[in-house]
Short mmCIF file of all heavy atoms in Angstrom, two decimals:
data_model
loop_
_atom_site.label_atom_id
_atom_site.label_comp_id
_atom_site.label_asym_id
_atom_site.label_seq_id
_atom_site.Cartn_x
_atom_site.Cartn_y
_atom_site.Cartn_z
N ILE A 10 71.58 93.13 99.60
CA ILE A 10 72.04 94.03 100.70
C ILE A 10 70.78 94.49 101.44
O ILE A 10 69.90 95.13 100.81
CB ILE A 10 72.77 95.28 100.15
CG1 ILE A 10 73.72 94.95 99.03
CG2 ILE A 10 73.38 96.08 101.27
CD1 ILE A 10 75.03 94.31 99.47
N MET A 25 78.98 94.16 97.00
CA MET A 25 78.49 94.82 95.78
C MET A 25 79.55 94.84 94.69
O MET A 25 79.27 94.46 93.56
CB MET A 25 78.05 96.27 96.15
CG MET A 25 76.76 96.33 96.96
SD MET A 25 76.62 97.85 97.92
CE MET A 25 76.01 99.00 96.70
N ALA A 36 79.89 90.01 81.10
CA ALA A 36 78.56 90.46 80.67
C ALA A 36 78.00 89.53 79.62
O ALA A 36 78.74 89.08 78.70
CB ALA A 36 78.66 91.87 80.01
N LEU A 48 62.73 92.01 103.69
CA LEU A 48 62.14 91.25 104.82
C LEU A 48 63.22 90.95 105.86
O LEU A 48 62.93 90.78 107.01
CB LEU A 48 61.55 89.92 104.36
CG LEU A 48 60.30 89.97 103.46
CD1 LEU A 48 59.97 88.56 102.89
CD2 LEU A 48 59.13 90.48 104.28
N TYR A 61 60.78 101.69 103.59
CA TYR A 61 60.44 101.69 102.19
C TYR A 61 61.42 102.54 101.38
O TYR A 61 62.02 102.08 100.36
CB TYR A 61 59.01 102.15 101.95
CG TYR A 61 58.62 102.02 100.46
CD1 TYR A 61 58.25 100.80 99.94
CD2 TYR A 61 58.73 103.12 99.60
CE1 TYR A 61 58.02 100.63 98.59
CE2 TYR A 61 58.45 102.96 98.26
CZ TYR A 61 58.08 101.75 97.76
OH TYR A 61 57.87 101.57 96.40
N THR A 64 64.81 101.06 101.00
CA THR A 64 64.94 99.97 100.04
C THR A 64 65.18 100.55 98.63
O THR A 64 66.03 100.06 97.91
CB THR A 64 63.58 99.21 100.08
OG1 THR A 64 63.46 98.62 101.38
CG2 THR A 64 63.59 98.02 99.05
N CYS A 103 61.03 73.53 107.91
CA CYS A 103 60.63 72.25 108.44
C CYS A 103 61.62 71.10 108.11
O CYS A 103 61.40 70.04 108.49
CB CYS A 103 59.21 71.91 107.95
SG CYS A 103 58.01 73.15 108.49
N ALA A 110 70.32 75.50 113.19
CA ALA A 110 70.13 76.93 113.04
C ALA A 110 70.73 77.68 114.22
O ALA A 110 71.28 78.78 114.09
CB ALA A 110 68.65 77.24 112.96
N ARG A 127 65.22 91.37 123.20
CA ARG A 127 64.80 91.84 121.90
C ARG A 127 65.17 90.90 120.69
O ARG A 127 64.99 91.16 119.56
CB ARG A 127 65.45 93.21 121.57
CG ARG A 127 64.98 94.22 122.60
CD ARG A 127 65.67 95.57 122.34
NE ARG A 127 64.84 96.43 121.44
CZ ARG A 127 65.29 97.56 120.93
NH1 ARG A 127 66.52 97.95 121.16
NH2 ARG A 127 64.55 98.21 120.14
N LEU A 161 75.79 80.51 103.73
CA LEU A 161 75.90 79.86 102.40
C LEU A 161 76.09 78.36 102.55
O LEU A 161 75.54 77.54 101.79
CB LEU A 161 77.05 80.53 101.65
CG LEU A 161 77.15 80.24 100.17
CD1 LEU A 161 75.87 80.73 99.46
CD2 LEU A 161 78.37 80.99 99.54
N ARG A 170 70.31 68.20 101.12
CA ARG A 170 69.32 67.36 101.89
C ARG A 170 68.05 67.11 101.12
O ARG A 170 67.51 66.02 101.02
CB ARG A 170 69.06 68.08 103.21
CG ARG A 170 68.23 67.28 104.23
CD ARG A 170 68.18 68.03 105.55
NE ARG A 170 69.53 68.32 106.00
CZ ARG A 170 69.82 69.37 106.86
NH1 ARG A 170 68.87 70.09 107.36
NH2 ARG A 170 71.04 69.50 107.22
N PHE A 175 64.17 64.18 97.73
CA PHE A 175 63.11 64.34 96.73
C PHE A 175 63.51 64.36 95.29
O PHE A 175 62.71 64.68 94.42
CB PHE A 175 62.35 65.66 97.04
CG PHE A 175 61.70 65.69 98.43
CD1 PHE A 175 62.26 66.47 99.45
CD2 PHE A 175 60.60 64.95 98.71
CE1 PHE A 175 61.65 66.49 100.66
CE2 PHE A 175 60.00 64.98 99.98
CZ PHE A 175 60.53 65.73 100.97
N PRO A 184 80.74 75.67 96.82
CA PRO A 184 81.29 75.89 98.16
C PRO A 184 82.21 77.15 98.23
O PRO A 184 82.57 77.69 97.18
CB PRO A 184 82.16 74.61 98.38
CG PRO A 184 82.37 74.05 97.02
CD PRO A 184 81.29 74.50 96.14
N GLN A 188 83.74 79.81 95.43
CA GLN A 188 83.11 81.16 95.35
C GLN A 188 84.25 82.19 95.29
O GLN A 188 84.19 83.19 94.57
CB GLN A 188 82.22 81.48 96.54
CG GLN A 188 81.05 80.55 96.70
CD GLN A 188 79.84 80.89 95.83
OE1 GLN A 188 79.83 81.93 95.19
NE2 GLN A 188 78.92 79.94 95.72
N LEU A 189 85.23 81.93 96.11
CA LEU A 189 86.36 82.90 96.22
C LEU A 189 87.13 82.98 94.95
O LEU A 189 87.39 84.09 94.42
CB LEU A 189 87.29 82.37 97.33
CG LEU A 189 88.12 83.39 98.13
CD1 LEU A 189 87.16 84.49 98.71
CD2 LEU A 189 88.80 82.67 99.22
N ILE A 200 85.74 93.42 106.23
CA ILE A 200 86.25 94.72 106.57
C ILE A 200 85.98 94.99 108.07
O ILE A 200 84.89 94.82 108.54
CB ILE A 200 85.61 95.89 105.70
CG1 ILE A 200 85.71 95.57 104.24
CG2 ILE A 200 86.19 97.25 106.05
CD1 ILE A 200 87.09 95.62 103.64
N MET A 210 83.25 95.87 110.50
CA MET A 210 82.54 97.15 110.26
C MET A 210 81.12 96.80 109.98
O MET A 210 80.81 95.98 109.09
CB MET A 210 83.20 97.80 109.07
CG MET A 210 82.67 99.22 108.78
SD MET A 210 83.42 99.98 107.34
CE MET A 210 85.03 100.49 107.90
N THR A 238 92.59 103.10 114.42
CA THR A 238 93.37 102.46 115.47
C THR A 238 94.39 101.55 114.83
O THR A 238 94.03 100.79 113.95
CB THR A 238 92.49 101.64 116.41
OG1 THR A 238 91.47 102.47 116.90
CG2 THR A 238 93.26 100.94 117.52
N GLN A 260 94.11 95.44 103.67
CA GLN A 260 92.99 94.76 102.98
C GLN A 260 92.15 95.81 102.21
O GLN A 260 91.85 95.60 101.04
CB GLN A 260 92.06 94.05 104.01
CG GLN A 260 90.83 93.48 103.38
CD GLN A 260 89.86 92.90 104.42
OE1 GLN A 260 89.47 91.76 104.29
NE2 GLN A 260 89.50 93.69 105.40
N LYS A 287 98.10 104.96 106.04
CA LYS A 287 96.81 105.54 106.24
C LYS A 287 96.50 106.58 105.14
O LYS A 287 95.36 106.63 104.62
CB LYS A 287 96.69 106.28 107.62
CG LYS A 287 96.66 105.35 108.78
CD LYS A 287 96.57 106.18 110.07
CE LYS A 287 96.40 105.26 111.33
NZ LYS A 287 96.42 106.04 112.53
N ALA A 338 56.91 68.21 95.33
CA ALA A 338 57.80 67.25 95.92
C ALA A 338 57.44 66.91 97.35
O ALA A 338 57.48 65.72 97.75
CB ALA A 338 59.26 67.73 95.86
N GLY A 340 54.48 67.16 98.65
CA GLY A 340 53.17 66.65 98.75
C GLY A 340 52.03 67.65 98.95
O GLY A 340 50.86 67.37 99.28
#
Side-chain angles (χ1 to χ4, degrees):
I10 315 284
M25 289 157 79
L48 293 169
Y61 185 80
T64 300
C103 299
R127 298 179 91 190
L161 194 58
R170 186 172 308 156
F175 299 106
Q188 299 281 347
L189 209 54
I200 306 293
M210 185 182 282
T238 303
Q260 174 186 233
K287 285 181 179 178

